[in-house]
């Protein structure tokens, strides 16, 4: 079997409500997603999706994905789709870096591998661990009262793991937010305060030494070195996210004892293959992980949940789903969904879900064999 063509679609995904990160520093109203279909000589197709969170969250953007795909599609066309590791190396040679742009191709290759094996991806990633993955909420920055109300709404929908977005310009407001949310926390609930890089090291050390919460604080500052400084001067558990890109970044973080956990996001790391490598390393060194994608429809959500579901339960915290934040849904009820705070997957081979062409409309580009 050979790869005979690659078709690319652009799809703008409106959010149901504007989403605020980093204490209101970053606002998002739509996402710019790119869908990839890899077509094979025997008629098999594989689907992938790459959806950065706007242009300001990471060094990644939709137009960048599609421009890179014009260089990457010819690299894989004519090749055997089963050689996923080799094709990743060829893509890295053809275009160093630009990890996010390679993710939808890698995802589509795994979809093909699952279909060829007649197995869901979680089986190829090590096998199912437990019945379901806990879903992780995403609480937009607001006043303490607004954020507590959002946690209560998420709780009513079954969420017991919460990611609360803090990191305003005023440390006193963040202390108030954190104290209000922490004092409303129920027994057994897990909360991560996600700062999304907003604090300077001084503010981070001040806030984290002022609050009563002793749980997870995520990506307090912009750079890895700043986060490491905070880690050495504050008592909480540290989760790293935006500052980790390559496998080597994760090795350095482990060597420095910089964190107790990491976010594992295929689109940030360069695809499911590289995310799986980080996941396996995280298990071996005892990290706790949130495994989810950066953004996208139920296709990207479901691909990431296959990786989460094949991760030992003692090493995973919860997985966020992007689809509930979107107005458009091409597969109502199918794929990875929140059912009472849990996500389960069927045994459909591959990712197990495909976007309809009526949803995607006209292709952005087609690269023929
Ligand atoms: Mg984060």
């Amino acid at each position: 079997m050979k790869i005979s063509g690659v078709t690319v679609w652009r799809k703008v995904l409106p959010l149901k409500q504007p989403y605020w990160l980093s204490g209101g520093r970053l606002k998002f109203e739509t996402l710019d997603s790119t869908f990839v279909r890899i077509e094979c000589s025997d008629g098999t197709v594989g689907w992938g999706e790459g959806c950065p969170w706007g242009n300001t969250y990471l060094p990644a953007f939709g137009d960048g994905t599609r421009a890179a795909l014009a260089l990457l599609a010819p690299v894989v066309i004519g090749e055997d789709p089963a050689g996923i590791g080799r094709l990743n190396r060829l893509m890295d040679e053809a275009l160093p870096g630009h990890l996010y742009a390679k993710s939808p191709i890698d995802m589509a290759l795994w979809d093909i591998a699952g279909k060829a094996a007649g197995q869901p991806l979680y089986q190829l990633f090590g096998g199912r661990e437990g019945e379901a993955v806990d879903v992780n909420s995403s609480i937009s920055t607001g006043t303490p009262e607004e954020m507590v109300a959002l946690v209560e709404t998420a709780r009513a929908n079954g969420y017991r793991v919460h990611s609360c977005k803090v990191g305003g310009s005023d440390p006193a407001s963040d202390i108030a937010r954190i104290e209000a949310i922490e004092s409303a926390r129920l027994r057994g609930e897990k909360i991560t305060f996600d700062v999304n890089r907003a604090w300077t090291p001084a503010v981070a050390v001040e806030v984290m030494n002022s609050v009563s919460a002793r749980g997870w604080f995520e990506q307090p500052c912009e750079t890895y070195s700043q986060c490491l400084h905070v880690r050495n001067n504050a008592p909480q558990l540290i989760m790293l996210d935006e500052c980790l890109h390559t496998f080597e970044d994760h090795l350095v973080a482990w060597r420095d004892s910089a964190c107790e956990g990491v976010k594992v996001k295929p689109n940030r790391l360069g695809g499911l293959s590289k995310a799986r490598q980080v996941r396996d390393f995280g298990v071996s060194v005892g990290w706790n992980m949130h495994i989810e994608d950066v953004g996208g429809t139920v296709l990207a959500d479901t691909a990431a949940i296959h990786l989460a579901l094949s991760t030992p339960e003692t090493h995973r915290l919860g997985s966020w789903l992007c689809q509930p934040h979107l107005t458009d849904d091409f597969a109502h009820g199918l794929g990875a969904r929140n059912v009472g705070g849990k996500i389960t997957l069927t045994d459909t081979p591959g990712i197990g879900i495909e976007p309809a062409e009526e949803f995607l409309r006209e292709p952005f580009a087609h690269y023929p064999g």
Side-chain angles (χ1 to χ4, degrees):
M1 184 162 58
K2 296 263 189 272
I3 295 172
S4 56
V6 176
T7 307
V8 175
W9 286 263
R10 176 184 189 226
K11 183 76 183 174
V12 174
L13 304 172
L15 297 173
K16 286 177 183 166
Q17 292 170 340
Y19 190 88
W20 299 89
L21 277 183
S22 220
R25 185 171 63 97
L26 305 176
K27 182 184 182 185
F28 305 87
E29 295 181 287
T30 62
L31 304 179
D32 180 354
S33 191
T34 302
F35 289 79
V36 168
R37 185 180 66 197
I38 293 182
E39 298 124 18
C40 301
S41 52
D42 72 345
T44 304
V45 300
W47 285 93
E49 179 181 10
C51 186
W53 192 260
N55 302 333
T56 53
Y57 171 63
L58 286 167
F61 66 116
D63 289 324
T65 303
R66 292 180 290 275
L69 286 169
L71 299 174
L72 298 170
V75 172
V76 300
I77 288 171
E79 300 289 340
D80 181 351
I84 301 177
R86 177 171 171 272
L87 292 179
N88 269 284
R89 286 199 305 279
L90 291 177
M91 288 196 289
D92 287 340
E93 285 170 21
L95 184 69
H98 300 274
L99 296 167
Y100 66 100
K102 294 163 184 166
S103 182
I105 288 189
D106 179 76
M107 190 186 295
L109 292 171
W110 277 106
D111 192 30
I112 292 167
K115 288 170 177 169
Q119 296 284 339
L121 289 196
Y122 61 76
Q123 295 289 25
L124 305 190
F125 292 157
R128 179 191 280 267
E129 296 274 357
E131 286 305 307
V133 173
D134 288 335
V135 72
N136 185 21
S137 76
S138 186
I139 307 299
S140 180
T141 307
T143 65
E145 297 74 25
E146 287 166 347
M147 295 185 75
V148 168
L150 287 172
V151 171
E152 285 169 356
T153 301
R155 191 178 286 147
N157 288 313
Y159 288 79
R160 294 293 178 272
V161 185
H162 304 281
S163 177
C164 298
K165 308 300 181 182
V166 297
S169 54
D170 167 26
S173 297
D174 273 329
I175 292 169
R177 289 180 179 113
I178 294 163
E179 295 290 49
I181 294 165
E182 182 66 17
S183 62
R185 181 166 70 88
L186 299 184
R187 257 176 99 86
E189 279 187 327
K190 295 176 194 155
I191 293 177
T192 300
F193 294 101
D194 190 356
V195 189
N196 292 112
R197 327 189 296 276
W199 288 336
T200 62
V203 170
V205 170
E206 177 189 349
V207 172
M208 291 168 67
N209 282 286
S210 301
V211 297
S212 56
R214 286 292 177 270
W216 293 95
F217 277 68
E218 180 172 325
Q219 193 71 38
C221 302
E222 182 79 31
T223 71
Y224 171 75
S225 299
Q226 292 169 339
C227 291
L228 181 60
H229 174 86
V230 174
R231 185 300 176 285
N232 291 327
N233 290 279
Q236 289 89 355
L237 304 174
I238 295 290
M239 168 92 34
L240 293 177
D241 185 351
E242 293 100 305
C243 67
L244 301 179
H245 300 277
T246 65
F247 184 63
E248 184 181 359
D249 292 342
H250 294 79
L251 293 177
V252 169
W254 172 74
R255 182 196 67 194
D256 293 346
S257 294
C259 58
E260 283 79 22
V262 297
K263 283 273 167 88
V264 179
K265 296 178 177 175
N267 195 256
R268 170 164 54 73
L269 300 172
L272 289 165
S273 297
K274 287 168 175 157
R276 182 191 179 187
Q277 187 184 26
V278 167
R279 185 279 305 267
D280 289 343
F281 177 72
V283 170
S284 67
V285 299
W287 279 343
N288 290 101
M289 294 171 278
H290 289 279
I291 302 175
E292 59 203 31
D293 215 341
V294 175
T297 66
V298 67
L299 181 68
D301 280 346
T302 304
I305 296 302
H306 281 284
L307 190 63
L309 188 60
S310 57
T311 301
E313 291 179 274
T314 47
H315 293 277
R316 66 185 197 227
L317 289 166
S319 294
W320 168 77
L321 297 175
C322 185
Q323 179 66 64
H325 294 265
L326 306 177
T327 59
D328 297 340
D329 186 351
F330 67 77
H332 297 277
L334 298 176
R337 303 285 173 167
N338 170 32
V339 179
K342 302 283 183 184
I343 312 164
T344 57
L345 294 174
T346 67
D347 59 3
T348 305
I351 298 173
I353 192 164
E354 302 197 346
E357 288 192 41
E358 312 85 84
F359 169 79
L360 296 174
R361 311 249 178 112
E362 283 300 300
F364 173 84
H366 174 66
Y367 302 97

